[in-house]
Amino acid sequence: MPSVNFFNTKYKTEPPRNDEEFKVHDPGNNLPAITTPADSELYQAIVHNPRQLLLEFIPIDHNITFQDSNGNKISTCDGLLHTLDNNEYIAFVELKDEMNSWITDAKDQLGNTIDLFRQNHVYTDYTRRYAYAANREHPQFAFSLKQMMQEFKNTYGFSLRIQNEINV
C-alpha cells in the first residue's frame, strides 16, 4: 500500500478552530464528517475544549480512501481531531446513529484507521491518544466493556472511549 500523509492539505476541508465547545457531525450520503457550532442540532459528538487549544478536524471516511491488496475499500473511521500547534493530543472519531452492534462496528473502524495511521506516521509522538466511538442516541456505555477497551489500548496504543463527549 502506498504511503499516505493524513495531514496533507488536500485532505483538510475546514479551518482549525479553538472554540471552547463545538460538535462533530456525519451528514451521511457519502459526504465527509464536519464540525458544527456548539448550538447546532446536527451532531453525533460534542467536543469540550476548555483550554481553547487550536484543533484541526480532518475527515477520513469519504475523504481519504484506502484499499487492501485486492482493491477493496478499507472501512475507516469518520475523522481525526488533533492539536495543530503541537503533538499534545490526537483523537480518532467514529460517529454512529445505529441502535444495534454499533460499538463493535465503531471499534473495528477505529482499529483499521489507527493501523493505517501507524503505518504512515509516528503515533507515539502524541502525548494523549484517544479513539472515540460516539453515538448521540447512546451517549453512555455499559461498564462490562472495560475489557474490550483495555484490549484496544494494548493492541493500538490508543485509549478507547465509548461516549459522545470528546474531552480535549
Side-chain angles (χ1 to χ4, degrees):
M1 181 181 313
S3 67
V4 174
N5 179 358
F6 281 64
F7 304 107
N8 188 312
T9 55
K10 69 182 179 180
Y11 300 128
K12 297 177 182 184
T13 61
E14 58 185 64
R17 59 192 313 152
N18 64 349
D19 309 41
E20 195 170 321
E21 184 177 288
F22 59 94
K23 296 175 179 175
V24 186
H25 175 60
D26 179 0
N29 298 321
N30 295 322
L31 296 171
I34 58 172
T35 61
T36 60
D39 62 354
S40 176
E41 293 298 318
L42 301 174
Y43 73 96
Q44 284 88 9
I46 303 167
V47 177
H48 300 285
N49 182 19
R51 293 173 36 213
Q52 295 183 300
L53 298 171
L54 188 59
L55 300 172
E56 181 173 59
F57 179 78
I58 301 172
I60 297 173
D61 193 24
H62 305 297
N63 187 35
I64 307 173
T65 304
F66 296 95
Q67 295 179 335
D68 65 18
S69 57
N70 296 324
N72 299 315
K73 184 181 183 293
I74 298 173
S75 180
T76 56
C77 72
D78 289 302
L80 75 87
L81 185 67
H82 71 103
T83 47
L84 195 59
D85 296 335
N86 57 41
N87 290 345
E88 178 183 340
Y89 180 89
I90 188 168
F92 288 89
V93 180
E94 175 56 24
L95 306 167
K96 294 291 188 188
D97 287 317
E98 295 94 27
M99 300 290 279
N100 299 319
S101 71
W102 71 272
I103 294 174
T104 301
D105 292 345
K107 177 185 69 76
D108 292 346
Q109 289 174 275
L110 289 162
N112 288 346
T113 311
I114 291 169
D115 272 344
L116 293 164
F117 185 84
R118 288 170 43 159
Q119 291 170 27
N120 293 280
H121 300 281
V122 181
Y123 77 99
T124 54
D125 284 350
Y126 291 89
T127 316
R128 298 186 300 135
R129 301 181 299 270
Y130 298 94
Y132 282 89
N135 188 327
R136 182 177 175 182
E137 300 300 318
H138 300 281
Q140 301 299 324
F141 69 96
F143 287 103
S144 62
L145 299 176
K146 283 185 178 182
Q147 180 179 350
M148 179 183 63
M149 294 165 70
Q150 186 60 51
E151 288 170 2
F152 189 93
K153 180 162 180 120
N154 294 345
T155 302
Y156 300 106
F158 283 72
S159 296
L160 178 63
R161 300 284 189 256
I162 303 169
Q163 60 193 49
N164 78 330
E165 295 198 20
I166 299 170
N167 299 302
V168 179

